[in-house]
Structure formats: structure tokens, C-alpha cells
Amino acid sequence: MALRDIREFSAEEVALWLTLQGLGEKADTFIAEGVDGNLLVTLTLDELKNDLGLSGLQAKKVMKNIEFTRELGAGSGSGEESEELEKKVQALRRENEMLEDKVESLQGTITERDAEIRELRRKLDSLTHDKRETPQPVAYATPAPVHHHAPAPAPQRPPQGMPVVRNAAVGTATGAAKGAVIGAILPGMDARDGAAAGAAAGALGGGMQGLAARRRMRR
């Protein structure tokens, strides 16, 4: 409950106020004089002493408590202001409770996420460990196939004497035919002598061609 302004006190409330200060024996005098709160704040030291029968120390005490009570009333505000402040306090308290509920819910969510992260990390560590322990296949180099090539056959060289003999025989036959014709035509020579001379000349020419052919083959 908010503290009322001292100026709003009734005479009975002023008497109770004096009693709380240890001046209850003076309460009846204040009631008899009709001293309410509005009048109380206007009294001077002399009036308290001369008109209400207080001693000098009692009058100073009342004056000090009047000022103190007024400050309390001013600090607490009016009743309407106090109620408004109380409403704000209640609203802030409800908002604070809602925030606390949200924080608690978020804390639970964070705890669940932490558990999921730990489980995923455990699985990852297990997979990494298994991968390290699995032996890797050894790759062996496949040797290149060796191809065995059969040696190339040596070139066949024709018999050394064949071109010479063949050319000599051809030259003999050709020379005999030509000699026979020449022997039959020329005077003093018959066909047989011409054939013999032609054969000899043909054989010599054919042999020379055969030798030349063999030299070319050797190169």
C-alpha cells in the first residue's frame, strides 16, 4: 500500500502519527485543537510549544518528522501513480517469466543438439579408425609382354657362277646362228665354219656379260 501524503491526514491520523513518535500524551490536545495534516505542515516551533504544549525538543522532533513524512509521501507518489507502477511491475514480472520459459526451452534444444553432435562425431571417429585399419591392396606392376621375333631370313644370293654360264650358253647359241648366216654369204667360208666362229665369239661375249652381272649383284 502506498504512503499517503501527510497533508491528507485527518486529526485522528495525526494523533496516531504522534503516538508512533512517542508523543501519545499530546495526541488528545491535537485532536481537541483540530490539527489535521493540512494544518500540521503549517505549524511553527513557537506554535507547537505555546499553543500545543510541546517542549522545545518535542517541537523540534515533530518538525523533523513532518519533513521526513512529507519526503516519504513525495517519494512514493500518489495512489494512482503507485497503482500504475504496480501494474508495470506485474507486466515486467510476467514478461520475465515468459523469457525464462523460452530460455529453458532453448536450453533443452541446445542440450539435444549437443547430444546429436557428439553422436555424429563418434560415428565419424569410428569410420576414420576403420579406414586406417583396413589393409590397402598392393598394386603389382604387370611386366610388359616380351615378343620373340624370329630372325629375318638371310637374303638368298643367287649362285655365283650361274649368270656367267647362262650368258655364255646364250651367247654361244646366238653367235653360232649369226656365224652360220655370215659363213653362207661370205666367199671362201661355208656355213659350218661361220657357225663355229660365231659360237666362239658369242660364248666370249655372253661370258663377259655374265661377269658384269655378277659384279652388280655383289654391290
Side-chain angles (χ1 to χ4, degrees), residues 3 10 14 44 118 210:
L3 182 64
S10 64
V14 171
T44 64
R118 287 194 297 270

Side-chain angles (χ1 to χ4, degrees), residues 91-103:
L92 290 173
R93 185 176 290 117
R94 287 192 298 269
E95 185 177 353
N96 187 53
E97 291 175 355
M98 292 175 62
L99 290 175
E100 288 179 353
D101 293 339
K102 289 182 179 180
V103 170

Side-chain angles (χ1 to χ4, degrees), residues 171-193:
T172 300
T174 303
K178 292 180 179 180
V181 174
I182 295 172
I185 296 173
L186 294 177
M189 180 179 293
D190 56 12
R192 186 176 59 187
D193 294 335

Side-chain angles (χ1 to χ4, degrees), residues 63-112:
M63 293 295 293
K64 183 178 180 180
N65 287 332
I66 289 172
E67 186 64 25
F68 178 72
T69 305
R70 292 187 67 176
E71 291 177 356
L72 287 178
S76 62
S78 63
E80 294 181 358
E81 292 177 352
S82 298
E83 291 178 1
E84 187 67 24
L85 290 174
E86 183 65 22
K87 290 180 181 178
K88 290 182 179 181
V89 169
Q90 293 297 332
L92 290 173
R93 185 176 290 117
R94 287 192 298 269
E95 185 177 353
N96 187 53
E97 291 175 355
M98 292 175 62
L99 290 175
E100 288 179 353
D101 293 339
K102 289 182 179 180
V103 170
E104 185 176 356
S105 176
L106 289 175
Q107 186 64 39
T109 302
I110 292 173
T111 303
E112 293 176 0

Side-chain angles (χ1 to χ4, degrees), residues 123-147:
K123 291 181 179 179
L124 179 61
D125 293 341
S126 177
L127 290 174
T128 305
H129 183 267
D130 294 342
K131 187 175 180 181
R132 285 198 301 265
E133 291 185 350
T134 302
Q136 298 297 325
V138 180
Y140 295 97
T142 303
V146 179
H147 299 284

